[in-house]
Amino acid sequence: MRVFVVVLLLATALISVPVASATPDELIDFQALIDDAAPGSVIVLESGRYAGGVTIDKPLTVLGRDWPIIDSEGRGTVIKVTAPDVTIEGLIIRGSGASLDREDTGIAVDAPRVTIRGNRLEEVLFGIFLRKASNSVIADNIVGAKEVFIANRGDGIRLWESEQTLVEGNLVIGGRDTVFWFSEDIIVRGNEITGGRYGLHFMYSDDAVIENNILSRNSVGAFMMYSSGVILRGNILAENFGPSGYGLGLKDMDQVTIEGNRFIGNRVGMYLDNSPYDHNDYQYVTGNLFAYNKTGVLMQPAVKRNVFSRNAFIENAAHVGIASSGKFSGNEWSIDGVGNYWSDFAGYDAGGDGIGDVSYRVDDLYNTLTDAHPHLRFFQDTPAAKMIALAAEMFPIFRPLPLVEDDFPLINRPPMKSFHGGDGGSLNVALLLISTLMIAGAGMAVLIPSRRRRSYPNKEAIT
Amino acid sequence: MTAAQIETVTERLQPSLVGVIAGKEIRDAVASKWFWMWTVAFAGLAAFMAAAALPGSQVAGFGSFGRTAASLVALSQIIIPLMGLTLGAYSIAGQRESGALRFLLSHPISRSEAFIGTYLGLAVALGATVFGGFGVAGVITVAQGGGADASSFVRIALLSWLLAISMLGFGMLISTFTRRGNAALGVSIFVWLVFAFLGDLGVMATSVATKLPMWGLLVSAVLNPVEAFRLASLTAFSGSLDVLGPAGRYAVDTFGDQLGWILFTVATVWAVIPTLAAWARFSSGGDV
């Protein structure tokens, strides 16, 4: 922060800032300022409204002070960057066009080593679009999308052939995807992406590190395709509930590490399709939490060589499911005698070593049925569905092959940080009031007629 | 019912008499072991479910009320129909068997007054059980620091009561067809089995065997009043049915925001029809 202030002071000392002489309605000519600036200099924009639709074609640093607004009033791209080593910081960027064909964008970059930091993008179609912009930094921006139907929205952040780029601490609200194409060695860290279609979408982007992001209430949290060497660590994938509704989906992925993530309240916590892709590769899923999902882990029947250990499966409607009918085998549910925690494990641990003495099996006939006939999920949680599961347990002839056989189930839940305490912490006064009223009403309904009996008006008349 | 009969029915409906009979019915309920057994069972199970569903939610602070609500709906689906059906079935048949009905109707009380009074009294008694149970569950949820949307909680409680009086209507309809209390109870338990278990199993089996289209699945599901209640409740607390896989998604896509109201209407129709049928049959005469 101190460095930032020094830079700012230095900048104001060095550069003459044109005072806004225009009337409030009139936009200040930002392009003229760019054209006048020498390459490598710093432009400080004071608060005010500047015309968008500009092109930065030389190395420049643009710093906003007190949130100047760059507005292109619903036309085209707001800021185009065609030169390397450009920094854009502290601006409000507003009102791009709405054409998906022209890819109208808040900040569109076609050159490497660009830094986009601490800006607010509002009502833009695409937010930040990097093309062949390697070694760039996109950090601490807030990207808000145009309020249009999801298919007509653009991507909040999109990288195309932009290697070794850092995407950190951004908040992306709405929009379509935050998507990375052909961009190797990128780091995506500490972002929050919410209300979009695909929170994170990876296509052919190897060796990425994705950690500590929050991907919530998107149609799909993160979907990764055709990439290898990706590390997913410490992310929260919550309440992604679109038609497919995966917290995390992997298709044709290799050498992915999935560690310490929390999959909570999604339609499907994690979906695996042909991952690992390589026949010699094993995929390790360790120390994750799968809680309150409709299905914790959903796998295509042909998926093999996944190894699960030290994960906690808590209160998912189904912990593990297969996505279509087929013979399902070849995955492992423990490493070196350490399995996973299953909230419905009914075994015991006589030895006291924290490992259950009997295997944990998933062989619920109802879930097997819904895997084969998805529309039967309509009867989820009904007494009839429970009855089917119970019947299969009592009559082993109906018992399906187990989906999961964990020979070393954990007795205690592995320690995990908790989060999202906001809802649970405060006392719910409204509910308490209403519950008390319900009890009081119920009591009065039965007690008042009983009391009236003693002063029954016609009692004398009857006797 | 002919027009003349309707006229006599409306002519001889004195609210005060209806109230007296309803009050007597409530007092009888409060004095009976059945009522307290149901109340304690429902409130106890609801409390247990609220208590069991919540500690897990402290893991992440997520899904806290969703699970309580889902278990309350499942509980309502089993216990409330049994409660409503048996209470309703025993009401008229039991009084007929013991001669109480004959005694009642020997007073200047019309059959409609007797029917409506009995119905209202039992409906209030059932309401006390349902709201009492939900209230206890709500207090336990709050005591454990659970976050719940109070308005959807109220909606589920109201829908449960709607289910209770719908089943009461079915029970009283059974009651008007039987002369003995125990026979009525037997029939009502069979009907309960159909509503709570066999109906769903039948629709599941049919849909797999005949590749039932989605709309067919929906329609055959809500032909079961308990199922209509379940869908209405799910819509009330999750705002949609898309948790129920492709068929639920289809319902959401087809009816959109109207889905909640449509399901509520279906559930209401299931409360009104059996009651009107029972009323018509009872007041159209016959032996007491």
Side-chain angles (χ1 to χ4, degrees):
Chain A
M1 193 60 212
R2 188 170 295 156
V3 177
F4 176 75
V5 173
V6 170
V7 169
L8 212 67
L9 287 174
L10 217 68
T12 37
L14 292 177
I15 308 293
S16 65
V17 183
V19 178
S21 58
T23 58
D25 288 344
E26 221 172 304
L27 295 172
I28 301 160
D29 189 349
F30 183 23
Q31 186 69 57
L33 301 180
I34 295 166
D35 293 343
D36 290 347
S41 62
V42 179
I43 300 178
V44 177
L45 299 182
E46 299 288 343
S47 133
R49 288 181 73 226
Y50 297 79
V54 299
T55 303
I56 301 178
D57 53 1
K58 56 190 136 191
L60 274 182
T61 297
V62 180
L63 296 179
R65 197 148 62 180
D66 298 330
W67 298 109
I69 298 166
I70 318 297
D71 196 342
S72 65
E73 300 184 305
R75 287 187 305 268
T77 288
V78 186
I79 298 180
K80 270 196 195 102
V81 177
T82 58
D85 301 303
V86 168
T87 298
I88 299 175
E89 196 166 321
L91 309 181
I92 292 178
I93 289 149
R94 179 181 290 168
S96 77
S99 163
L100 280 172
D101 295 339
R102 284 197 316 266
E103 294 176 337
D104 291 338
T105 306
I107 303 177
V109 179
D110 287 307
R113 298 187 301 281
V114 168
T115 301
I116 300 169
R117 186 188 296 276
N119 302 287
R120 300 211 303 244
L121 294 93
E122 300 168 352
E123 293 170 44
V124 290
L125 186 66
F126 287 77
I128 299 170
F129 191 163
L130 268 53
R131 254 186 231 92
K132 304 199 175 186
S134 298
N135 300 93
S136 292
V137 175
I138 303 177
D140 305 325
N141 302 286
I142 299 174
V143 183
K146 277 188 187 297
E147 301 250 334
V148 292
F149 182 63
I150 198 154
N152 297 334
R153 292 185 203 158
D155 300 325
I157 296 174
R158 169 182 268 220
L159 265 59
W160 180 278
E161 293 184 25
S162 299
E163 283 146 31
Q164 291 167 15
T165 290
L166 172 67
V167 179
E168 185 171 24
N170 300 286
L171 170 63
V172 182
I173 303 165
R176 192 171 59 184
D177 309 338
T178 287
V179 54
F180 306 97
W181 285 86
F182 308 110
S183 299
E184 290 171 13
D185 293 317
I186 59 172
I187 296 175
V188 182
R189 184 191 290 146
N191 301 283
E192 179 168 355
I193 302 173
T194 185
R197 188 178 66 173
Y198 285 16
L200 288 176
H201 193 20
F202 273 67
M203 301 289 281
Y204 307 100
S205 293
D206 293 348
D207 302 319
V209 175
I210 303 163
E211 53 185 12
N212 301 337
N213 300 286
I214 300 177
L215 310 169
S216 67
R217 297 173 196 227
N218 302 288
S219 194
V220 166
F223 205 87
M224 332 208 85
M225 301 167 81
Y226 320 118
S227 310
S228 77
V230 174
I231 296 173
L232 277 148
R233 194 191 290 138
N235 300 288
I236 293 168
L237 304 102
E239 298 183 328
N240 297 292
F241 234 96
S244 48
Y246 308 136
L248 169 67
L250 300 181
K251 178 170 169 51
D252 293 356
M253 296 287 290
D254 259 323
Q255 293 170 25
V256 181
T257 306
I258 302 162
E259 194 182 323
N261 301 286
R262 278 165 280 178
F263 301 86
I264 300 165
N266 304 287
R267 186 186 301 283
V268 172
M270 181 168 77
Y271 170 72
L272 299 178
D273 181 5
N274 206 19
S275 301
Y277 178 70
D278 189 318
H279 283 262
N280 299 314
D281 188 23
Y282 279 80
Q283 182 160 287
Y284 291 89
V285 182
T286 55
N288 301 283
L289 169 69
F290 297 90
Y292 312 116
N293 303 290
K294 276 289 155 189
T295 305
V297 178
L298 182 70
M299 293 155 117
Q300 286 292 343
V303 168
K304 294 183 196 311
R305 301 181 308 285
N306 281 281
V307 185
F308 292 82
S309 174
R310 289 185 293 107
N311 301 291
F313 290 86
I314 296 175
E315 299 288 335
N316 302 290
H319 290 322
V320 178
I322 51 172
S324 55
S325 49
K327 195 168 159 7
F328 177 72
S329 63
N331 296 285
E332 292 170 27
W333 300 95
S334 58
I335 300 175
D336 297 334
V338 180
N340 303 277
Y341 174 80
W342 309 90
S343 59
D344 57 343
F345 178 58
Y348 50 87
D349 175 25
D353 57 355
I355 305 285
D357 297 345
V358 290
S359 299
Y360 172 82
R361 291 158 60 98
V362 173
D363 53 3
D364 181 331
L365 181 61
Y366 176 71
N367 283 332
T368 312
L369 274 177
T370 55
D371 288 338
H373 305 281
H375 59 276
L376 289 190
R377 208 170 298 151
F378 198 65
F379 297 96
Q380 190 96 46
D381 292 332
T382 58
K386 299 252 165 28
M387 211 168 158
I388 291 178
L390 191 68
E393 265 174 45
M394 295 176 74
F395 303 104
I397 191 168
F398 296 124
R399 201 164 184 169
L401 282 173
L403 283 179
V404 173
E405 202 157 13
D406 183 347
D407 293 331
F408 306 98
L410 301 180
I411 292 295
N412 299 309
R413 192 163 61 79
M416 243 165 248
K417 277 185 294 183
S418 107
F419 85 107
H420 198 83
D423 287 353
S426 60
L427 192 69
N428 194 329
V429 180
L431 183 62
L432 184 64
L433 202 69
I434 279 177
S435 305
T436 318
L437 279 176
M438 281 182 180
I439 296 175
M444 272 155 63
V446 296
L447 290 180
I448 287 179
S450 311
R451 285 167 63 88
R452 271 184 54 189
R453 184 185 210 177
R454 289 180 195 102
S455 59
Y456 194 54
N458 293 337
K459 201 174 180 183
E460 283 98 49
I462 290 170
T463 49
Chain B
M1 247 190 307
T2 66
Q5 275 171 325
I6 291 173
E7 208 167 280
T8 43
V9 164
T10 43
E11 235 170 74
R12 305 237 351 238
L13 255 186
Q14 286 183 44
S16 59
L17 276 178
V18 171
V20 167
I21 295 170
K24 166 197 157 291
E25 206 58 52
I26 293 172
R27 281 193 301 278
D28 285 356
V30 173
S32 80
K33 280 177 288 187
W34 286 98
F35 174 78
W36 288 107
M37 191 195 85
W38 286 131
T39 306
V40 169
F42 186 71
L45 280 168
F48 171 75
M49 282 180 170
L54 273 161
S57 71
Q58 251 75 346
V59 172
F62 256 102
S64 51
F65 184 58
R67 292 205 61 76
T68 316
S71 11
L72 282 175
V73 169
L75 174 70
S76 300
Q77 227 183 319
I78 298 179
I79 291 210
I80 289 181
L82 191 55
M83 200 158 72
L85 281 168
T86 50
L87 275 179
Y90 202 75
S91 61
I92 297 172
Q95 289 189 42
R96 187 182 277 156
E97 194 179 358
S98 68
L101 188 62
R102 191 183 293 253
F103 175 71
L104 187 68
L105 291 181
S106 69
H107 291 87
I109 293 172
S110 74
R111 283 173 175 241
S112 288
E113 283 158 357
F115 180 88
I116 294 173
T118 308
Y119 178 78
L120 288 181
L122 289 175
V124 170
L126 284 169
T129 305
V130 170
F131 288 113
F134 269 83
V136 169
V139 167
I140 287 176
T141 307
V142 174
Q144 298 202 347
D149 177 14
S151 72
S152 55
F153 186 78
V154 171
R155 266 178 279 174
I156 297 173
L158 284 172
L159 279 165
S160 296
W161 186 47
L162 189 63
L163 175 67
I165 59 176
S166 159
M167 291 298 124
L168 175 65
F170 276 105
M172 289 180 79
L173 184 59
I174 294 167
S175 204
T176 58
F177 278 95
T178 37
R179 304 198 56 81
R180 296 172 60 83
N182 287 340
L185 276 182
V187 174
S188 71
I189 285 171
F190 177 74
V191 171
W192 169 75
L193 210 56
V194 171
F195 284 162
F197 295 97
L198 302 181
D200 282 353
L201 286 175
V203 175
M204 276 192 237
T206 312
S207 83
V208 171
T210 65
K211 304 249 185 305
L212 206 60
M214 293 294 182
W215 63 264
L217 184 74
L218 278 186
V219 170
S220 41
V222 298
L223 282 179
N224 177 347
V226 174
E227 192 62 24
F229 153 79
R230 179 179 75 101
L231 298 174
S233 302
L234 279 180
T235 317
F237 82 80
S238 68
S240 129
L241 285 181
D242 57 5
V243 292
L244 297 180
R249 190 77 223 160
Y250 170 82
V252 173
D253 288 346
T254 311
F255 299 111
D257 294 340
Q258 304 303 314
L259 184 62
W261 284 111
I262 290 171
L263 289 168
F264 177 73
T265 311
V266 173
T268 311
V269 166
W270 274 130
V272 170
I273 286 180
T275 313
L276 285 183
W279 181 16
R281 192 173 150 77
F282 182 70
S283 53
S284 68
D287 280 351
V288 291

